[in-house]
Amino acid sequence: MSDTRERVVRAGIVGANGYIGGELCRILLGHPHVELVAPVSRSLAGKRVDGVHPNLRGLTDLTFTAPDDAPDCDVLFLATPHRETMAMVSRWAGRAGVLIDLSADFRLRDPAVYRRYYGAEHTAPELLAEFVTGLPERHRKELVGADRISVPGCMATAAILALYPLAAAGLIAGRVSVDGRIGSSGSGSGAGPMNLHAERSGAMRVFAPLGHRHEAEVAQATGLDVTMGATGVEAVRGAQVVCRAPLATEVREPELRRVYRECYGDEPFVRIVAQRRGLYRLPEPKILSGSNFCDVGFALDAERGEVVAVGALDNLVKGAAGNAVQCLNIRQGWPERLGIEFPGLHPL
Amino acid sequence: MSDTRERVVRAGIVGANGYIGGELCRILLGHPHVELVAPVSRSLAGKRVDGVHPNLRGLTDLTFTAPDDAPDCDVLFLATPHRETMAMVSRWAGRAGVLIDLSADFRLRDPAVYRRYYGAEHTAPELLAEFVTGLPERHRKELVGADRISVPGCMATAAILALYPLAAAGLIAGRVSVDGRIGSSGSGSGAGPMNLHAERSGAMRVFAPLGHRHEAEVAQATGLDVTMGATGVEAVRGAQVVCRAPLATEVREPELRRVYRECYGDEPFVRIVAQRRGLYRLPEPKILSGSNFCDVGFALDAERGEVVAVGALDNLVKGAAGNAVQCLNIRQGWPERLGIEFPGLHPL
Amino acid sequence: MSDTRERVVRAGIVGANGYIGGELCRILLGHPHVELVAPVSRSLAGKRVDGVHPNLRGLTDLTFTAPDDAPDCDVLFLATPHRETMAMVSRWAGRAGVLIDLSADFRLRDPAVYRRYYGAEHTAPELLAEFVTGLPERHRKELVGADRISVPGCMATAAILALYPLAAAGLIAGRVSVDGRIGSSGSGSGAGPMNLHAERSGAMRVFAPLGHRHEAEVAQATGLDVTMGATGVEAVRGAQVVCRAPLATEVREPELRRVYRECYGDEPFVRIVAQRRGLYRLPEPKILSGSNFCDVGFALDAERGEVVAVGALDNLVKGAAGNAVQCLNIRQGWPERLGIEFPGLHPL
Amino acid sequence: MSDTRERVVRAGIVGANGYIGGELCRILLGHPHVELVAPVSRSLAGKRVDGVHPNLRGLTDLTFTAPDDAPDCDVLFLATPHRETMAMVSRWAGRAGVLIDLSADFRLRDPAVYRRYYGAEHTAPELLAEFVTGLPERHRKELVGADRISVPGCMATAAILALYPLAAAGLIAGRVSVDGRIGSSGSGSGAGPMNLHAERSGAMRVFAPLGHRHEAEVAQATGLDVTMGATGVEAVRGAQVVCRAPLATEVREPELRRVYRECYGDEPFVRIVAQRRGLYRLPEPKILSGSNFCDVGFALDAERGEVVAVGALDNLVKGAAGNAVQCLNIRQGWPERLGIEFPGLHPL
């Protein structure tokens, strides 16, 4: 139960008009310790928030705030595009003590890696060290009291959570291939031929056969040699990774299960899904829409020395907005599930 | 905020393995005043509840209860097929003080109408008068303390809520045509050619060109002359009705809006959605998945004397499980939104 | 069998880059008596045709032609937006003896009706009388040798074919409501928020609750009092109409069937689909993708004096490009099925 | 143009009621040199073919033939489940000179491999050597005049065609991972929970994380060390493989392109799709529905020595029925494209 004496935190969202911004609005409006005071949007300033996020009708009468009109906040979520974020982070730092960035700009520790994957020079490399990686399952302690948090990419989160137990246990030797699949909301709310319904519907679009940007995050977080591709499949929400890795040593299924349980047995938002039978025996995004769970699972070919790790999540929730709020909860010392308890729907 | 001194109500669900049963499980597991003690399923007795409702993994370790093993409860939800429900209602009445029926068996007041629409003789007509219609927007007062509640059909709920304000204001003269559209979850979790993915996917299946069973409920609730058809469209969740009616009198748009506002201005789960512009200017089920909202809207052709009323909801929530819990909340005198606050997702 | 001595007709398509234009390309490239000499596109002039119509890879090396570079043709298909078409029709008339217009501009006989439904003054009313309506089932004789053909709208075609037999037999008395449902390709290949995948996916968008533009065409063709609305449903291709009408007289099912058979018994592209049982017992667009069939069916409530007529087609084929080619075949005296034999797929 | 003096071949289909059987019906009914005389189905004998294949309405009045009533044919297509096929092949061999098997039973040369992948002893190993692999791109010469043809699996065909050029050129060193994605029609027309629309819709179901059965075919055909998994994604038709392989040697993009061109430059049904830009720059099944094309493409990470090969096809056409007819065309010396010219649709 929440402590009702808890001081309410005043929150703002920069880029509140986008899909991640919308999920932040939804979650924060329902969060008992947070007041959403500044849904910032340059393009929609003055317009009703529920105009572009129609699921919020009846929940709020807020209008979008112009950047210059945004009041000071306790915490600011930056749901802005990469490159744009690093350009404006210093300005926003003056408006709020806590910055939680959902862009890619402060995820990679090494500016050279950023340049390679994002094709642009990092313009604020001196700030990189200030950011704690917003992945509670790996950085929970550092998140307590952190003032700069950088939330990982959606498919990166799934892949890191799926692979980390194996990597940490030293079970992987050699290159890991990560095959990511993602719904259309992953490319944002901007209209273009890429996301035209008639083109995107029913797609199996291999938009990144190799070298997907999240590859760098997965490699950084796991220390593995990672090659990653990604395909847009028919879905609005949802990200899934299928990771194929050569085993370093002989291992049996119960040992793998133990390795995952030791990592995630107490985690509120990671479930181990690796069953022998059933329609949902491995992680699947479809039942995670709206939920902050990341499901992880595995399968083993002991004979050939290969393991497959599977991860799934809602790219806008555990892959973005929900994970960011989980980080905030930890930072504040609040119960970790606060505001992000929704378990997902079945069927959907 | 919930009153934590409130006594917890012990609830059971008969037919807990189906899709409506699964939604009842999800909602009741998250309800602060309810303990789910008996998820009853004959076919799956002893199996884990999260085996068929995988979204509940990590939320419960419950297994399904065999009918004969079900403990006494305070309230029993009957999520069983029509005909089967009326055959066993007396037996279940001995197990719980409160019965909330989600089947069709106690919706129609007149057994002759039941026979006509369901092709079977009603076997418990003497019980019909005991049931209060589980539609809070129309029967809130009767629901307080009610021990027998019959929840309306999903498309019927949408149509009744969309049409009632017009009917009550005497604005409709003549036959109303109701065109219902529904997702595949509406026909339940049984596997058959009808719901085979390859056949049902992308369908616009006019499974009831006219005389749909919910027609009788809509007529009963509104007093209108209703003709209703229904089409299965590509969706898992979601029901929508488009109702076309001749106007009894000249009327203008602001008056229509006022009529709706007077009916629903204070309703926690009905939103009036009738905008001039925008992608979601009229009710659409897509943004209602998991939500207990029923959105209603209208459009007017003043010149030709015609009004179109549109209603949308999640067939498993406001069209079934969520609505049933709303009724329970009212019956108990609890805050009406308890356990059914989830607003729905966008995009989805 | 085609007569191989037949002179090849040189064809051009204005607006060859759009979705209807693409279907015209596909069909004409496979047509034994036609040579596609001018796929005209202002915006894509010089670019490969298979760049935007990737299904044509390996079938053609054509590039788009700039309007000014288009050679003289025997026949020109105008697949351009309404308003734009009437503005340029005279110019194109100088380039080809035969014009087949797929826009809305020459469908309505009365310029006042055009103004009312399209919100603009008709700029070439003097040409209206020159155009034969490109609906073979109603105007086959007039199409022979016609030099100006105006192809009806997609939902209009379905509704006219579904309703005409009833109207002609004098079976309808009173207002007919037409409920149209359409896939996303119906709104063209332009990218905008309306057709953003995340918004359009899973939609049941009542974009026209009443007064849909095709209403005017259906009324003109059938002489009925028609009220028409339309909903965008989840599909890329496909249009369906469900038409509800009061009967003028007592009628029984065999008589209705006879009425339809007399109209369409010999039609190569209209099938009567009105079965008692089966998943596809009434017309459904899903099995018509790529096909030039329009399926029509009906259901009767004799007791209440109501008939429901259902029509379905592929909006880009029988609703546009395929129908246009059928008209060309008739005009030329070729076998009517030439180039448009593809029957559609199941499952899809 | 077809030679009209060509003797018509009398064809039968065993298992004509299934999805592959339906595609065979569609294609053979439109094939100028084939007469479909025996659409065999035990369960539906006597019922109309267009009852379960509604796209064939108006094209045929055929009814299904009981197995015992099937007349002698020139060619029999066996579209029956694996294990069942090998049990009855000898019986059917007495009814037709030519057998074209679409099951898995005669694909693998080594009965031990069959046992390992299909979990059953091969019951007709003595016949294995009689079958020519029905993959024209690799076995065209052997197919001429062949009387026993075994058509490869759908994803196997895509993977073999995508990988073979690289394998033959000796460019791959080490284990190749094949990630297959497939629509719901791939698991047949039988109704079960697996293919229930509400469960299968929007799925990313990793039904085979590793050791998918087609792995054995791909390894056999390419000589590579292959590990293969498969995921059911939201689609009815369509199969895609993304194959990731370590390069044996340094290679550049133009050389890869040349390798593919040398293999497939003259192939009527393989297109090389590997563009720098565009929505469809790599193979995608969506635009292949109904088509007999297999599109193959590639991407290179020269720096890390990795190549990705992508293949896509319609699992029921080039992955089954269409490919079988292509084999028949070759066997008979007919033009290879006969009856399977349909190019696919865009958009769809």
Side-chain angles (χ1 to χ4, degrees), chain A residues 178-182 203-209 229-233 240 242, chain D residues 154-155 158 178-184 186 200 203-208 212 228-244 283-285 308-313 315:
Chain A
V178 175
D179 185 69
R181 301 92 185 265
I182 181 124
M204 304 187 202
R205 187 184 296 164
V206 186
F207 66 91
T231 302
V233 296
Q240 185 188 54
V242 176
Chain D
C154 58
M155 287 189 287
V178 176
D179 185 69
R181 302 92 184 266
I182 181 126
S184 62
R200 185 62 176 73
M204 304 186 202
R205 187 184 294 164
V206 186
F207 65 91
H212 186 277
M228 179 168 178
T231 302
V233 296
E234 174 59 60
V236 171
R237 290 187 181 226
Q240 184 188 53
V241 292
V242 176
C243 314
R244 206 166 285 271
E284 177 137 7
V308 172
V310 180
L313 46 71
N315 56 305

Side-chain angles (χ1 to χ4, degrees), chain B residues 41 175 206:
Chain B
S41 167
R175 185 172 290 175
V206 186

Side-chain angles (χ1 to χ4, degrees), chain C:
Chain C
M1 284 298 105
S2 64
D3 181 345
T4 51
R5 295 160 309 180
E6 181 72 45
R7 188 179 78 83
V8 162
V9 156
R10 291 161 47 88
I13 303 163
V14 188
N17 56 307
Y19 288 153
I20 292 175
E23 278 299 76
L24 283 167
C25 289
R26 175 180 69 82
I27 294 170
L28 297 181
L29 287 168
H31 195 294
H33 296 343
V34 176
E35 186 189 2
L36 175 57
V37 296
V40 178
S41 167
R42 187 183 313 275
S43 56
L44 296 180
K47 300 273 174 64
R48 288 182 64 90
V49 167
D50 64 7
V52 289
H53 304 310
N55 58 326
L56 304 183
R57 284 169 179 158
L59 276 73
T60 182
D61 289 314
L62 280 171
T63 55
F64 289 110
T65 312
D68 291 343
D69 299 339
D72 284 357
C73 298
D74 297 310
V75 56
L76 260 180
F77 294 87
L78 305 179
T80 40
H82 70 271
R83 299 180 70 165
E84 192 177 310
T85 304
M86 61 189 179
M88 67 181 200
V89 65
S90 300
R91 195 178 56 162
W92 288 115
R95 303 281 189 88
V98 183
L99 293 184
I100 302 183
D101 179 24
L102 293 104
S103 85
D105 283 352
F106 297 96
R107 292 175 187 161
L108 298 171
R109 300 287 145 228
D110 181 349
V113 177
Y114 184 90
R115 187 192 319 118
R116 183 175 156 205
Y117 279 92
Y118 290 87
E121 205 63 39
H122 203 289
T123 60
E126 72 284 1
L127 301 180
L128 283 172
E130 295 184 12
F131 280 81
V132 173
T133 297
L135 191 61
E137 294 77 9
R138 298 281 301 114
H139 302 275
R140 187 172 277 107
K141 282 183 189 164
E142 301 155 69
L143 286 167
V144 178
D147 287 342
R148 297 287 180 271
I149 297 171
S150 167
V151 177
C154 56
M155 287 190 286
T157 298
I160 295 166
L161 292 176
L163 287 169
Y164 183 75
L166 303 174
L171 292 173
I172 297 178
R175 186 172 290 175
V176 180
S177 75
V178 176
D179 184 69
R181 301 92 184 265
I182 181 127
S184 62
S185 65
S187 43
S189 58
M194 185 175 70
N195 273 332
L196 188 61
H197 180 270
E199 308 290 343
R200 186 62 177 72
S201 176
M204 303 187 202
R205 187 184 296 164
V206 186
F207 65 92
L210 35 69
H212 187 276
R213 288 165 167 178
H214 291 183
E215 178 179 288
E217 288 182 64
V218 182
Q220 173 180 280
T222 61
L224 298 168
D225 176 13
V226 178
T227 174
M228 179 167 178
T231 302
V233 297
E234 173 59 60
V236 171
R237 290 187 181 227
Q240 186 187 52
V241 293
V242 176
C243 314
R244 207 166 285 270
L247 286 165
T249 170
E250 226 172 273
V251 65
R252 294 170 61 182
E253 202 271 359
E255 193 181 336
L256 279 183
R257 195 169 294 274
R258 188 182 52 72
V259 160
Y260 276 94
R261 280 205 181 127
E262 280 174 7
C263 261
Y264 299 133
D266 297 328
E267 281 298 335
F269 289 114
V270 178
R271 298 185 294 199
I272 301 166
V273 176
Q275 303 179 340
R276 288 241 166 60
R277 272 176 294 277
L279 298 182
Y280 298 89
R281 70 186 187 97
L282 285 168
E284 177 137 8
K286 168 183 157 85
I287 57 168
L288 298 173
S289 284
S291 144
N292 198 50
F293 286 118
C294 177
D295 286 349
V296 300
F298 58 87
L300 175 69
D301 183 340
E303 201 180 319
R304 304 179 71 186
E306 189 175 82
V307 65
V308 172
V310 181
L313 47 70
D314 179 333
N315 56 304
L316 299 178
V317 186
K318 183 62 176 173
N323 199 25
V325 172
Q326 186 183 356
C327 291
L328 177 65
N329 287 341
I330 292 168
R331 187 210 175 275
Q332 299 291 115
W334 298 333
E336 203 163 324
R337 287 184 174 90
L338 225 52
I340 42 178
E341 301 92 344
F342 183 70
L345 296 167
H346 174 261
L348 187 65

Side-chain angles (χ1 to χ4, degrees), chain B:
Chain B
M1 285 298 105
S2 63
D3 181 347
T4 52
R5 295 160 309 179
E6 181 72 45
R7 189 180 77 83
V8 161
V9 157
R10 291 161 48 88
I13 303 163
V14 188
N17 56 308
Y19 288 153
I20 291 175
E23 278 298 76
L24 283 166
C25 289
R26 174 180 70 82
I27 294 170
L28 296 181
L29 287 168
H31 195 294
H33 296 345
V34 176
E35 185 189 4
L36 175 59
V37 297
V40 178
S41 167
R42 188 183 312 275
S43 57
L44 296 180
K47 300 274 173 64
R48 288 181 65 89
V49 167
D50 64 6
V52 289
H53 304 310
N55 57 326
L56 304 182
R57 284 170 178 156
L59 275 73
T60 183
D61 288 314
L62 279 171
T63 54
F64 289 110
T65 312
D68 292 343
D69 300 340
D72 284 358
C73 298
D74 297 309
V75 57
L76 261 180
F77 294 87
L78 305 179
T80 40
H82 70 271
R83 299 181 69 165
E84 191 177 311
T85 304
M86 62 189 179
M88 67 181 198
V89 65
S90 300
R91 197 178 54 162
W92 288 114
R95 304 282 189 87
V98 184
L99 294 184
I100 302 182
D101 178 26
L102 293 104
S103 85
D105 283 354
F106 297 96
R107 292 175 188 162
L108 298 171
R109 299 290 145 226
D110 182 348
V113 176
Y114 184 89
R115 187 192 319 118
R116 182 174 157 206
Y117 279 92
Y118 290 88
E121 205 63 37
H122 203 289
T123 60
E126 71 285 1
L127 301 180
L128 283 172
E130 295 184 11
F131 281 80
V132 172
T133 298
L135 191 62
E137 293 77 8
R138 298 280 301 114
H139 301 275
R140 188 173 277 107
K141 282 184 189 162
E142 302 155 68
L143 286 167
V144 178
D147 287 342
R148 298 287 181 272
I149 297 170
S150 168
V151 176
C154 56
M155 287 190 287
T157 298
I160 294 165
L161 292 176
L163 287 169
Y164 182 75
L166 302 173
L171 291 174
I172 297 178
R175 185 172 290 175
V176 180
S177 75
V178 176
D179 184 70
R181 301 92 185 265
I182 182 127
S184 61
S185 65
S187 44
S189 59
M194 186 175 68
N195 274 332
L196 189 61
H197 180 270
E199 307 290 344
R200 185 62 176 73
S201 176
M204 302 186 203
R205 187 184 295 164
V206 186
F207 65 92
L210 34 69
H212 187 277
R213 287 166 168 179
H214 291 183
E215 177 179 289
E217 287 182 65
V218 183
Q220 174 180 279
T222 62
L224 297 169
D225 176 13
V226 177
T227 174
M228 179 168 177
T231 303
V233 296
E234 173 59 60
V236 171
R237 290 187 182 226
Q240 185 188 53
V241 293
V242 176
C243 314
R244 206 166 285 270
L247 286 165
T249 170
E250 225 170 275
V251 65
R252 294 171 61 183
E253 202 270 357
E255 193 181 336
L256 280 183
R257 195 170 294 273
R258 189 184 50 74
V259 160
Y260 276 94
R261 280 205 181 126
E262 279 174 7
C263 261
Y264 299 133
D266 297 329
E267 282 298 336
F269 289 114
V270 179
R271 298 185 295 198
I272 302 166
V273 176
Q275 303 179 340
R276 288 240 166 61
R277 274 177 293 276
L279 299 182
Y280 299 88
R281 70 186 187 99
L282 285 168
E284 177 136 9
K286 168 183 158 84
I287 57 168
L288 298 173
S289 285
S291 145
N292 198 51
F293 286 117
C294 176
D295 285 349
V296 300
F298 58 87
L300 175 69
D301 184 340
E303 201 180 320
R304 303 179 71 185
E306 189 175 81
V307 65
V308 173
V310 181
L313 46 71
D314 179 331
N315 56 305
L316 300 178
V317 186
K318 183 62 178 172
N323 198 26
V325 172
Q326 187 184 355
C327 291
L328 176 66
N329 287 342
I330 293 168
R331 187 210 174 275
Q332 300 290 114
W334 298 333
E336 203 164 324
R337 287 185 175 88
L338 226 51
I340 42 179
E341 300 91 344
F342 184 70
L345 297 167
H346 173 260
L348 187 66

Side-chain angles (χ1 to χ4, degrees), chain D residues 121-334:
Chain D
E121 204 63 38
H122 203 289
T123 60
E126 72 284 2
L127 301 180
L128 283 172
E130 294 184 12
F131 280 81
V132 172
T133 297
L135 190 62
E137 294 78 8
R138 298 281 302 115
H139 301 276
R140 187 172 277 107
K141 283 186 187 159
E142 301 156 68
L143 287 167
V144 178
D147 287 343
R148 298 287 180 274
I149 296 171
S150 168
V151 176
C154 58
M155 287 189 287
T157 298
I160 293 166
L161 292 176
L163 286 170
Y164 182 76
L166 302 173
L171 290 174
I172 296 177
R175 186 172 289 176
V176 180
S177 76
V178 176
D179 185 69
R181 302 92 184 266
I182 181 126
S184 62
S185 64
S187 44
S189 58
M194 186 175 69
N195 274 331
L196 189 61
H197 181 270
E199 308 289 345
R200 185 62 176 73
S201 176
M204 304 186 202
R205 187 184 294 164
V206 186
F207 65 91
L210 34 70
H212 186 277
R213 286 164 169 180
H214 291 183
E215 177 180 288
E217 287 182 64
V218 183
Q220 174 181 279
T222 62
L224 297 169
D225 177 12
V226 177
T227 175
M228 179 168 178
T231 302
V233 296
E234 174 59 60
V236 171
R237 290 187 181 226
Q240 184 188 53
V241 292
V242 176
C243 314
R244 206 166 285 271
L247 286 165
T249 170
E250 225 170 276
V251 65
R252 294 169 62 180
E253 202 271 358
E255 193 180 336
L256 280 183
R257 195 169 293 273
R258 189 183 51 74
V259 159
Y260 277 93
R261 281 205 180 126
E262 280 173 7
C263 261
Y264 299 133
D266 296 328
E267 282 298 334
F269 289 114
V270 179
R271 298 185 296 199
I272 301 166
V273 176
Q275 303 178 341
R276 287 240 166 61
R277 271 176 295 275
L279 298 182
Y280 299 88
R281 69 186 187 99
L282 285 168
E284 177 137 7
K286 170 182 156 86
I287 55 168
L288 298 173
S289 284
S291 145
N292 197 51
F293 286 117
C294 176
D295 286 348
V296 300
F298 59 87
L300 175 68
D301 183 341
E303 201 180 318
R304 302 178 71 185
E306 189 174 82
V307 64
V308 172
V310 180
L313 46 71
D314 179 332
N315 56 305
L316 299 177
V317 186
K318 183 62 178 173
N323 199 26
V325 172
Q326 186 183 355
C327 290
L328 177 66
N329 287 342
I330 293 168
R331 186 209 175 275
Q332 300 290 113
W334 298 333

